[in-house]
Amino acid sequence: MRWGWPSAEVRDRLEFVFKGVQAAAIVFGAIWGLVTYTITAAHQRDGIRRELRKPYDEKQLSLYLDAARVLAHLSATPDYEREKTEARFWELYWGELAFVESSRVASLMVAFCRKRFEPTKCNTPHPENVLEASTLEGAAIGMSHEASDEIRKRWEDK
């Protein structure tokens, strides 16, 4: 048996199949490239977001540790360096901690404050009434909460 060139009809069919496979490979390659690009871009955005949040997260951790230390000090040795420790508590309560704390941590700080100090001193303005705070302390914590909300909204929008 002798091998020869296939007939024109067979050549046309093979050419059609190969062109179809070639077109499918091009479409599959384009889709694969798009999927890979999308996944890589998402990972890069997450990495950038984590890096940009890192200073905030580190400050939050530092303030949480400081608050835990102050609360432990006020609980365990309330008379030792009382004025200094209470002053630090109020700095955290009315200012720094209010900027980074979660609503759960804020509730726990208020609960501690009410047990340790005069409950009226621990009152904080309701979020809707922050601009109408009647005390300096209320204005201070209101500003911290408002600034924190603005930062969180900015990060959530991105």
Side-chain angles (χ1 to χ4, degrees), residues 23-146:
I26 290 171
V27 169
F28 177 76
I31 291 172
W32 181 259
L34 183 63
V35 167
T36 303
Y37 171 78
T38 304
I39 291 170
T40 303
H43 286 302
Q44 286 176 341
R45 277 192 309 275
D46 290 343
I48 290 169
R49 187 173 288 128
R50 274 192 308 274
E51 283 302 310
L52 291 174
R53 266 194 70 113
K54 190 180 261 186
Y56 180 87
D57 291 340
E58 288 171 354
K59 186 65 172 178
Q60 184 181 43
L61 175 62
S62 172
L63 289 172
Y64 277 8
L65 290 173
D66 195 19
R69 182 189 58 75
V70 168
L71 268 57
H73 185 109
L74 288 172
S75 298
T77 56
D79 293 329
Y80 179 73
E81 295 183 342
R82 192 181 111 237
E83 288 181 22
K84 179 181 170 187
T85 308
E86 285 182 5
R88 183 62 184 144
F89 173 83
W90 293 116
E91 287 174 359
L92 290 165
Y93 189 83
W94 296 118
E96 294 175 85
L97 193 58
F99 191 84
V100 298
E101 69 190 351
S102 67
S103 59
R104 180 80 175 128
V105 171
S107 298
L108 293 169
M109 285 294 288
V110 170
F112 180 88
C113 184
R114 288 185 177 152
K115 286 183 171 102
R116 177 71 170 89
F117 302 102
E118 183 181 323
T120 56
K121 191 168 185 180
C122 302
N123 290 339
T124 59
H126 198 271
E128 288 87 35
N129 302 331
V130 166
L131 297 176
E132 297 149 16
S134 60
T135 64
L136 287 174
E137 293 89 354
I141 199 167
M143 190 289 298
S144 295
H145 281 292
E146 187 63 28

Side-chain angles (χ1 to χ4, degrees), residues 4-14:
W5 291 103
S7 68
E9 184 181 329
V10 171
R11 277 195 313 263
D12 288 343
R13 286 184 186 163
L14 286 175

